[in-house]
Amino acid sequence: MTVNSEQSPQLQETKANFNPNLKGRYRFDRVFKTISWIATFAGIVVLTVLLIGILVSGLSSLSFDFIVNPPSRKPEIAGIWPPLIGTICLLVITALFAFPVGVGSGIFLEEFSEDNLFAKAVEINISNLAAVPSIIYGLLGLFVFARIFEPVTGGRSLLSGGLTLALLILPVIIVATREALRAVPDSLRLAGMALGATRWQTVRSHVLPQALPGIMTGTILALSRAIGETAPLIVVGAATFVPFAPELSIKGLQSSFTAMPIQIFSWVSRPQDGFHEIAAGAIIVLMLVLLVMNGSAIWLRNKFQSNR
Amino acid sequence: MTDSVLPQSLGDSARGDRWKPNRSLSKLTQKLIVLLFGAFAFVSVATTIGIVLTLIFETIEFFLEVSPWEFFTGTRWSPTFANPRFGIIVLLCGTFLTSVIGLLVAVPLGLLSAVCLSEYAPRSLRAWLKPALEILAGVPTVVFGYFALLMVTPFLKTFIPGLSTFNSLSAGLVLGFAVLPTIASLSEDAIFAVPLSLRQGSYALGATKRETVTGVVLPAALSGIVASIVLGVARAVGETMIVTLAAGQSPTLTLDPRSAVQTMTSFIVQITKGDAPYGSIEFKTLFAVGMTLFVITLVLNFFSFWFVRRFQEKYE
């Protein structure tokens, strides 16, 4: 009883302060919810407007001639053949360098490396590289590939551009490889080694095939990022006007190059409306290529997930 | 019995004639593979070392010709003129202006979308909305540049008088939408990872859903959210094509979002587009500007590391 009488003044005080005001709070809740929905759809709306706008202004310029013609000073007869081939060549060079090096590093870090200083340094380094702006990679490529290794790469060439892009997407491929390897159950490794296989034999014949779809998905996504990159290529020295597609030879690798994003950039920065229309046409082609790549990555991922 | 069924050769092998383990060769292969892959792993370290050495080397060359005092305190930027001036503040101001406008769009919209996707959206809708945001993240930045220069600027011109053709406003706005998916996606991961028990505890105390989100869930996910915002800032500062196309190439010291500015990145594009000869002052200026950009992103990175380590909450 004494306890009760002691508490009651406090209780009364609390009661006076206790003002749930549920109506007002619920109203604020609804406002907050509405705003967050609007924010979510703002991004989607902008994406839709962008895509529709580009389709409207670019569809009229799409034709067979537009694909196979070289660029020109007259927008009516200009085409995208050299930059399109340039982008495909860059894609191949980038993949040839970034895929083995990235997957190899991923395997090394996940399967072979002990928890030592080198592994830790590589790990911190990779997450650091992810935040470095792509234009800085361009400066690296300009200095190292185009200048120091000029006798090998031929200066501001296709090879320099491809190598720069390979360095740019290397961290992405390494991270994707490590995640894919981590998803492979340990029992597989244990079984392989219990049969007397070395670590590498186990990885090559059992772990890697299991992880390959995941690695491929990550690599395709990384490559699709690479072919949309403009800034590092401009810095390495892509030319804005190249009338011929590069030759398929060592000399072709060392020749000056252009790529789809560079061509788009060059056309958008001209004042005439005619060039803006064909820029939109080139964007449609570039986005279609990206769509095919992303679509195949998603298809691979789904196939892989349903198999498990 | 078995001998009559099995052919002679297989019978031999079953007795172990073909059992040649040759462990030394396998071990040698493994050693070579580890060495090779270790060298591959070193490539990513070498990239960082290469970036740092490249920038330092040419920046020292640059400062042999231009005094650091002028570089950091000058208020005019005209390295290609006959009477060159090197006040990096002008470019920093341009980068600052476009990034701030971009982040004013990206941070609130990104965080609110993250909250919506994680807390309000039904699971089935979330499965559609997240990939849509990822598509937005996959759009090449030169396409965003086209969008800013040829669609957003003409639209803004209809109701903002005095807006020049190149302006930091439309560049910043579009930059915001380019950065938005980074912030939204990473924050959503952090918010989604907050355990359900925290939310239930908050409801049990009588909090509404919004109070739970802003009072309990967001603080619990703070380290992940800050990391995503810092990465967004780094993206905005280093973004090139949008600002080059839409914000113009005129280095002016201004905070007026309606006029043209030049950012650090668009300066680098402007110089490299025109084939700067090796060893010229323009060529060295590229690397001095690149160094400034790199130091900024490095500081942001360290801040993010420190913050995550200091404030990360671990839940069982």
Side-chain angles (χ1 to χ4, degrees):
Chain A
M1 283 307 281
T2 45
V3 176
N4 242 353
S5 62
E6 263 176 36
Q7 260 189 359
S8 59
Q10 270 183 353
L11 205 66
Q12 270 173 356
E13 199 187 330
T14 328
K15 245 183 188 166
N17 282 341
F18 186 64
N19 178 15
N21 186 18
L22 270 179
K23 221 175 177 179
R25 286 160 65 201
Y26 276 136
R27 194 180 301 130
F28 190 42
D29 261 42
R30 276 195 297 276
V31 172
F32 183 77
K33 188 174 172 178
T34 318
I35 292 175
S36 72
W37 273 108
I38 293 171
T40 309
F41 279 100
I44 313 274
V45 166
V46 166
L47 179 67
T48 318
V49 169
L50 186 156
L51 293 179
I52 291 175
I54 284 167
L55 279 179
V56 165
S57 50
L59 267 185
S60 59
S61 60
L62 281 186
S63 67
F64 182 71
D65 284 345
F66 181 66
I67 304 287
V68 297
N69 274 5
S72 158
R73 288 179 208 292
K74 295 188 193 122
E76 306 83 46
I77 57 164
I80 54 166
W81 185 248
L84 187 62
I85 298 300
T87 286
I88 292 171
C89 290
L90 280 175
L91 190 65
V92 172
I93 296 171
T94 308
L96 280 182
F97 281 93
F99 184 72
V101 175
V103 173
S105 325
I107 292 176
F108 176 81
L109 292 172
E110 204 56 39
E111 305 286 339
F112 292 114
S113 92
E114 280 119 50
D115 207 14
N116 58 15
L117 202 68
F118 179 65
K120 223 170 249 170
V122 173
E123 207 150 310
I124 292 174
N125 178 52
I126 287 171
S127 60
N128 230 330
L129 280 178
V132 173
S134 61
I135 198 164
I136 301 276
Y137 285 89
L139 287 176
L140 173 74
L142 175 65
F143 193 81
V144 175
F145 298 134
R147 195 178 166 194
I148 297 178
F149 287 111
E150 190 171 1
V152 186
T153 59
R156 301 173 180 186
S157 66
L158 199 58
L159 190 58
S160 302
L163 288 175
T164 307
L165 289 182
L167 288 187
L168 178 68
I169 62 167
L170 198 58
V172 187
I173 297 183
I174 296 177
V175 170
T177 304
R178 296 190 68 178
E179 271 169 17
L181 287 174
R182 232 173 271 163
V184 177
D186 246 356
S187 52
L188 225 63
R189 298 184 181 87
L190 296 178
M193 281 188 274
L195 287 173
T198 60
R199 217 170 240 270
W200 165 240
Q201 283 170 330
T202 314
V203 168
R204 194 196 57 203
S205 58
H206 288 91
V207 179
L208 201 55
Q210 281 279 309
L212 207 56
I215 296 175
M216 290 303 289
T217 308
T219 307
I220 296 173
L221 289 178
L223 284 173
S224 72
R225 188 189 152 200
I227 65 169
E229 278 291 349
T230 321
L233 291 182
I234 294 181
V235 176
V236 169
T240 44
F241 184 82
V242 176
F244 307 108
E247 286 177 54
L248 293 175
S249 64
I250 299 201
K251 218 171 171 196
L253 283 179
Q254 294 177 337
S255 64
S256 68
F257 69 107
T258 188
M260 289 295 286
I262 309 285
Q263 191 63 59
I264 294 167
F265 169 65
S266 147
W267 280 339
V268 172
S269 42
R270 291 186 194 206
Q272 300 92 337
D273 276 339
F275 283 112
H276 297 165
E277 274 170 30
I278 56 174
I283 288 176
I284 295 176
V285 175
L286 180 65
M287 299 279 271
L288 279 178
V289 175
L290 287 177
L291 194 71
V292 169
M293 292 179 70
N294 283 323
S296 54
I298 290 168
W299 176 79
L300 257 176
R301 181 163 66 188
N302 288 348
K303 195 173 170 218
F304 174 56
Q305 277 172 348
S306 59
N307 275 353
R308 273 210 289 183
Chain B
M1 275 291 278
T2 39
D3 275 324
S4 64
V5 174
L6 285 173
Q8 194 55 43
S9 61
L10 193 59
D12 277 348
S13 83
R15 281 200 292 273
D17 289 1
R18 270 165 53 178
W19 170 242
K20 287 173 191 142
N22 199 359
R23 300 281 294 170
S24 56
L25 183 68
S26 318
K27 278 184 179 163
L28 186 70
T29 320
Q30 161 142 337
K31 255 183 200 151
L32 288 178
I33 287 287
V34 170
L35 213 63
L36 179 70
F37 286 1
F40 284 171
F42 185 71
V43 170
S44 76
V45 182
T47 308
T48 309
I49 297 174
I51 288 175
V52 172
L53 286 184
T54 302
L55 292 176
I56 287 180
F57 183 73
E58 286 290 324
T59 306
I60 289 174
E61 293 266 300
F62 172 79
F63 280 126
L64 290 179
E65 291 187 38
V66 179
S67 78
W69 176 255
E70 171 168 8
F71 189 68
F72 291 113
T73 60
T75 53
R76 284 176 58 203
W77 178 264
S78 56
T80 52
F81 288 7
N83 177 24
R85 296 295 186 89
F86 300 92
I88 189 75
I89 290 181
V90 179
L91 297 187
L92 281 175
C93 172
T95 296
F96 175 79
L97 192 59
T98 51
S99 306
V100 165
I101 296 172
L103 291 168
L104 283 179
V105 174
V107 172
L109 287 186
L111 282 186
L112 283 169
S113 338
V115 166
C116 182
L117 286 177
S118 168
E119 306 294 314
Y120 291 118
R123 290 287 153 264
S124 54
L125 196 59
R126 179 173 177 265
W128 284 100
L129 287 175
K130 252 201 134 171
L133 275 180
E134 278 162 16
I135 295 178
L136 194 63
V139 173
T141 51
V142 71
V143 178
F144 277 119
Y146 172 95
F147 180 62
L149 179 65
L150 299 175
M151 291 162 79
V152 175
T153 302
F155 172 69
L156 290 178
K157 262 187 177 171
T158 56
F159 55 87
I160 301 179
L163 193 74
S164 69
T165 309
F166 299 107
N167 60 82
S168 48
L169 181 63
S170 72
L173 288 178
V174 175
L175 179 61
F177 281 101
V179 172
L180 187 150
T182 306
I183 296 183
S185 174
L186 292 177
S187 313
E188 205 264 352
D189 291 342
I191 293 171
F192 199 69
V194 173
L196 202 60
S197 56
L198 254 72
R199 296 183 180 84
Q200 286 164 341
S202 169
Y203 292 142
L205 289 172
T208 65
K209 183 146 192 170
R210 198 272 313 161
E211 287 159 354
T212 305
V213 169
T214 52
V216 176
V217 178
L218 288 186
L222 189 66
S223 70
I225 290 174
V226 169
S228 82
I229 292 176
V230 172
L231 191 62
V233 176
R235 285 271 155 85
V237 169
E239 175 28 62
T240 311
M241 296 325 292
I242 302 172
V243 290
T244 306
L245 280 169
Q249 302 283 0
S250 62
T252 35
L253 191 62
T254 174
L255 284 176
D256 179 4
R258 292 171 305 172
S259 61
V261 293
Q262 185 169 45
T263 65
M264 291 185 282
T265 50
S266 55
F267 168 76
I268 296 177
V269 169
Q270 186 202 351
I271 295 298
T272 47
K273 218 172 56 167
D275 228 27
Y278 299 135
S280 65
I281 184 69
E282 287 101 322
F283 189 79
K284 290 168 191 165
T285 313
L286 280 182
F287 289 86
V289 173
M291 185 73 181
T292 316
L293 189 60
F294 183 70
V295 167
I296 291 174
T297 53
L298 205 64
V299 168
L300 286 170
N301 239 346
F302 279 136
F303 171 75
S304 174
F305 271 129
W306 170 81
F307 195 92
V308 168
R309 186 167 285 194
R310 173 78 178 71
F311 291 98
Q312 192 167 37
E313 308 267 349
K314 285 254 159 67
Y315 303 106
E316 291 301 311

